Amino acid sequence: MKKNFNIRRKQAGILSAAALVALLSFGNSQAAEDAATIKRVQDGIAKLIPGEKPDSITESMVPGLYEVMIGPRLFYVSGDGKYLFNGKLFEIATREDLSTPKISLAKADAITKAGEGNMVIFGPEDSKHTITVFTDIDCGYCRKLHSEITQYNDLGIRVRYMMYPRAGVGSASYTKAVSVWCADDQKAAMTLSKSGKPIDEKLCDNPIVDHMKLGELLGVTGTPAVFLSDGELLPGYVPAAKMSAYLNGRTNQ
């Protein structure tokens, strides 16, 4: 009996070893297939959007469809690299938007990477809320928003400004944005300029063009464009009290 037991034990050991080899072989094969799929997706993106390198490529909720993030832009590409879908993906049963939350987080990350050293900021760091506003000195609703800047701050809302002169580089609005940035007191110059009063025209190294490029990348089409801390975009002027109620409502959800 003992001999038979030993034989069975050896056979079991052989089977276990064989199963392990098979498992490792399957794992290696799967890893190779995954790598090949990612390569096909990368090649497909490269053909359609030359010079763009994906920040991430992950499987989506749809079999055979991959999510490709390039900065704050989200694309869906088939696993064979032949088809690209540029739009939102919804789960029909729940009607859940699966795309927007990911895009918003990517936008928030892009704004964070711009750095607060490249923004004109009103309000203390320990404010309850922080919003980032792409603004145009000559935009009427931008001026209306800034006329309430003290109310925003008093309601616990910190406002970070980035410049977005809609008339483009070289315009009067662009010159004013540069002058505000280069002023000895940026916040005072911003307030004066937005109230329609002249400020000294100045030149210096500035991030205004970078602000404009970032705004375009984030989908800014008008000003003021307000981004919340999670990347949600609120286009247009929002009164301070209404903004506070909205932000506090989100916090309490």
Side-chain angles (χ1 to χ4, degrees):
M1 283 299 289
K2 187 175 182 180
K3 184 177 181 181
N4 290 337
F5 174 77
N6 289 335
I7 290 173
R8 285 196 298 271
R9 187 168 60 181
K10 289 179 181 179
Q11 289 174 337
I14 293 171
L15 288 173
S16 298
L20 179 60
V21 170
L23 183 60
L24 291 173
S25 177
F26 174 78
N28 291 336
S29 176
Q30 186 62 46
E33 176 57 29
D34 290 345
T37 300
I38 296 298
K39 181 66 167 57
R40 288 193 295 268
V41 172
Q42 288 175 331
D43 291 344
I45 284 287
K47 290 176 183 177
L48 198 61
I49 315 176
E52 295 281 11
K53 184 178 180 181
D55 294 302
S56 66
I57 299 175
T58 56
E59 290 184 86
S60 75
M61 297 288 287
V62 180
L65 198 63
Y66 287 76
E67 294 178 350
V68 180
M69 294 296 308
I70 301 178
R73 294 174 292 170
L74 173 60
F75 303 96
Y76 294 96
V77 180
S78 59
D80 57 11
K82 293 181 178 180
Y83 303 98
L84 180 144
F85 170 67
N86 183 15
K88 293 182 180 180
L89 185 65
F90 288 84
E91 183 176 3
I92 294 175
T94 62
R95 299 186 180 184
E96 181 184 0
D97 180 349
L98 302 176
S99 303
T100 297
K102 295 181 180 181
I103 295 171
S104 294
L105 287 175
K107 288 181 177 181
D109 184 57
I111 291 172
T112 297
K113 287 179 179 177
E116 291 195 346
N118 290 311
M119 303 175 187
V120 179
I121 302 174
F122 288 78
E125 285 188 34
D126 62 353
S127 298
K128 184 176 180 180
H129 306 289
T130 295
I131 61 175
T132 304
V133 182
F134 283 80
T135 191
D136 182 330
I137 298 294
D138 293 320
C139 152
Y141 279 108
C142 296
R143 290 184 172 186
K144 188 170 180 62
L145 187 155
H146 191 72
S147 71
E148 299 180 24
I149 197 67
T150 299
Q151 296 175 53
Y152 270 86
N153 291 164
D154 288 346
L155 288 167
I157 304 171
R158 184 171 179 246
V159 179
R160 307 188 304 189
Y161 278 123
M162 301 188 80
M163 307 296 195
Y164 197 82
R166 296 170 300 172
V169 176
S171 66
S173 296
Y174 175 83
T175 299
K176 291 175 186 177
V178 172
S179 296
V180 167
W181 183 264
C182 297
D184 294 332
D185 187 334
Q186 292 177 330
K187 292 194 289 186
M190 176 77 84
T191 298
L192 278 173
S193 192
K194 280 186 175 290
S195 65
K197 297 177 181 178
I199 61 172
D200 292 336
E201 189 171 314
K202 291 189 175 184
L203 287 174
C204 67
D205 290 336
N206 64 82
I208 309 304
V209 171
D210 290 336
H211 288 186
M212 296 167 70
K213 289 179 178 178
L214 177 59
E216 291 174 3
L217 188 63
L218 297 178
V220 172
T221 56
T223 54
V226 181
F227 285 90
L228 308 187
S229 59
D230 64 356
E232 180 183 350
L233 170 61
L234 301 180
Y237 159 72
V238 180
K242 188 174 181 180
M243 178 68 78
S244 176
Y246 182 67
L247 293 174
N248 288 328
R250 283 162 46 96
T251 301
N252 296 330
Q253 286 180 352

